[in-house]
Amino acid sequence: MGPIGVDIGSQSIRALQLRPSGGQYEIVAAGKVDLESGAVSQQDTVADGLSRLLGKTRFSGKCVATCVPSAIVEMKNIRLPNMPHSELESAAEFEARERFGYSGQDTVIRCIPAGVIPGTGEPQQEVMVMTASAAAIEERLRLLSSLHLDVVRMDLAVNSFFRPFECFLHRSTDAERTGAYVDIGFLGSRIFITRGQDVVFIKTCPVSGQMFDEIAAGVLSLPVEKAAAERRRLMSGDVSGPADGDALSEIIKALQPAIEQLGKEVSLCLRYYAVTFRGERPDSLICGGTESGCPKVLEYISQVTDMTASASAIGQRLLTARSLTNDKLNVTTPEWTMAFGLSLIGIEAVDKEVKAA
C-alpha cells in the first residue's frame, strides 16, 4: 500500500491512497476539502482543513507524501562540462551556490540533469537547478508533524505531476519519445517537456485560474469571488439557458488572449527543446491542473500550438474498474494528477504488459 498522497493546493487539499490490484491500482481512500481564498498561506487554516479531511476519510496509516510548496521554489538552468552522473549533482550545487549567491544551509538545492547538448564543441550538459528556502520546508514539515503524520517524501511538483504518466513509458520505443505537459493551476502554469522517463525542460508561466477569475469579474461585473464561482459553473458545462450561453461566450472571448499566451509559451518551450537537444516535436499536449477541464480552453491551446491538447485522464488508465465505479469522488479529473503522483511513491510498478497496452 502506498502513502497518503497529500496535494496542498491554493484552493483545496486533495488526499489519495492507492494499492496495487491486478496489474492496476485500487483506491484505499480519497478525500478533498476546499480552502478559502488565500488560506494556503495560513498554516493554522491548512492544518485545520487537512485534519478534517483525514479525520472524516478512512485512510490507512499515518505515512504521507506531499510536495514542496511551489510558491517557494525557484528554478534556473545552468550548463556544465559533460561529466559522470555521480559527479554532476555536487558540481551543479557548487556552481549554483557560486553563481547565484546561495550560501550556508538556508537554501535547499536539487538538480535535475536535462541532457547533453549536441554540436557545441566541447560537450556540455544542461542542468535544471531548483532551490527552496529551508525554513519554509521546515515550516511545512512542522505542520504535518503537528497532525502526527509521518512524512516519507517531500517531492518536487514536476516529479509528482509526471510520475503517473511515467508508469506507461517502459517500452524500448519510449526511451527517446518526447512528451509535452502543462499543469494549469490557480496561481500559475508549469510547462514540462520530457524525453522517455526523464523531465528535460521546465518553465513557469503566469497564466492562471486567478487571472481567469479576474477577467471573468470584469466581463460579468461581479466581485472576483462571485465571478469565479460563476465562471467555473459555466465552464464546467452547466449552461441552462440563453443567458448562460451568452455569458459563457463572453467569458471565453475575454479569456482568449490569456489562453493564447499560454499556448505561445508552450510553443516557445518546444522550439527551445528542439534547437537545444534536437529532439522530436510531440504532436499532443497533456493538460492537468484545476483549469484544464474546459473544452474551450483546450481548443484554443490546440489552435495556438498546432497540437492536440487534451485533459489528463490518468486515473482512468491507472485504476481498476472497481475503483472507477465505486469511488464517490471523481478522482479521474485533471486536478487529481498531482495527488496520483504522490500516492504512487514507493508502490511497486504495475505490470509492464499493462503499461504497454
Side-chain angles (χ1 to χ4, degrees):
M1 190 178 300
I4 305 168
V6 178
D7 175 21
I8 302 175
S10 56
Q11 290 191 303
S12 61
I13 303 173
R14 299 173 189 83
L16 179 67
Q17 190 173 31
L18 304 173
R19 62 182 167 215
S21 176
Q24 291 179 283
Y25 297 101
E26 189 172 86
I27 295 175
V28 177
K32 175 184 175 182
V33 62
D34 292 328
L35 300 173
E36 293 182 3
S37 179
V40 72
S41 61
Q42 303 168 12
Q43 298 298 309
D44 290 344
T45 305
V46 173
D48 178 66
L50 183 54
S51 178
R52 287 187 285 112
L53 172 57
L54 298 177
K56 70 180 182 181
T57 312
R58 299 186 63 180
F59 292 97
S60 179
K62 294 290 184 178
C63 292
V64 301
T66 191
C67 282
V68 179
S70 296
I72 70 169
V73 176
E74 295 184 7
M75 196 199 79
K76 300 177 186 291
N77 281 32
I78 63 174
R79 292 184 179 181
L80 297 172
N82 196 22
M83 63 184 70
H85 187 80
S86 58
E87 302 173 14
L88 187 64
E89 185 168 348
S90 59
E93 181 172 341
F94 175 81
E95 184 71 19
R97 290 190 183 279
E98 287 288 313
R99 190 179 301 183
F100 306 119
Y102 301 131
S103 60
Q105 302 300 314
D106 58 339
T107 302
V108 178
I109 300 177
R110 292 292 180 268
C111 307
I112 300 178
V116 177
I117 302 170
T120 56
E122 183 180 345
Q124 287 188 309
Q125 182 151 328
E126 186 156 297
V127 181
M128 295 174 286
V129 178
M130 297 188 176
T131 67
S133 160
I137 292 174
E138 287 295 331
E139 185 177 38
R140 177 57 55 87
L141 286 171
R142 282 195 298 270
L143 183 155
L144 296 167
S145 296
S146 71
L147 301 176
H148 308 290
L149 298 171
D150 180 14
V151 182
V152 297
R153 178 82 66 88
M154 283 197 76
D155 209 15
L156 289 169
V158 57
N159 292 338
S160 293
F161 187 91
F162 182 52
R163 187 174 291 109
F165 304 99
E166 187 183 352
C167 289
F168 297 90
L169 296 172
H170 283 263
R171 297 173 297 185
S172 59
T173 54
D174 294 326
E176 297 299 321
R177 176 180 293 181
T178 303
Y181 304 83
V182 59
D183 177 17
I184 313 173
F186 181 71
L187 296 179
S189 299
R190 289 183 290 261
I191 302 162
F192 310 132
I193 299 176
T194 62
R195 183 175 58 246
Q197 292 182 302
D198 299 321
V199 177
V200 295
F201 186 85
I202 308 168
K203 186 177 183 181
T204 58
C205 174
V207 176
S208 64
Q210 187 174 48
M211 180 186 292
F212 293 171
D213 288 345
E214 291 169 355
I215 292 172
V219 171
L220 300 173
S221 300
L222 291 173
V224 173
E225 288 191 6
K226 290 185 177 180
E230 186 69 359
R231 176 182 74 83
R232 285 171 172 76
R233 179 182 73 83
L234 295 172
M235 293 179 71
S236 68
D238 184 6
V239 180
S240 56
D244 281 350
D246 292 342
L248 177 59
S249 296
E250 288 299 314
I251 291 172
I252 292 295
K253 183 179 179 180
L255 293 181
Q256 189 170 356
I259 299 170
E260 287 180 350
Q261 179 187 347
L262 177 59
K264 289 176 181 177
E265 290 284 356
V266 172
S267 294
L268 288 172
C269 292
L270 289 169
R271 186 180 305 167
Y272 175 85
Y273 171 75
V275 171
T276 304
F277 298 105
R278 299 180 183 174
E280 293 183 1
R281 176 186 170 90
D283 57 6
S284 62
L285 176 70
I286 297 177
C287 303
T290 56
E291 302 300 327
S292 60
C294 176
K296 279 293 183 183
V297 171
L298 301 178
E299 180 183 324
Y300 282 142
I301 293 176
S302 297
Q303 291 174 2
V304 176
T305 59
D306 195 26
M307 302 169 68
T308 302
S310 60
S312 165
I314 194 64
Q316 295 178 7
R317 300 181 68 188
L318 287 171
L319 294 177
T320 64
R322 179 166 53 184
S323 279
L324 288 171
T325 54
N326 293 345
D327 181 32
K328 294 180 181 179
L329 273 176
N330 182 10
V331 302
T332 63
T333 57
E335 65 187 85
W336 284 86
T337 305
M338 201 79 73
F340 266 100
L342 290 165
S343 62
L344 287 170
I345 289 173
I347 299 184
E348 186 175 344
V350 294
D351 185 80
K352 290 186 179 181
E353 291 184 6
V354 176
K355 291 176 186 177

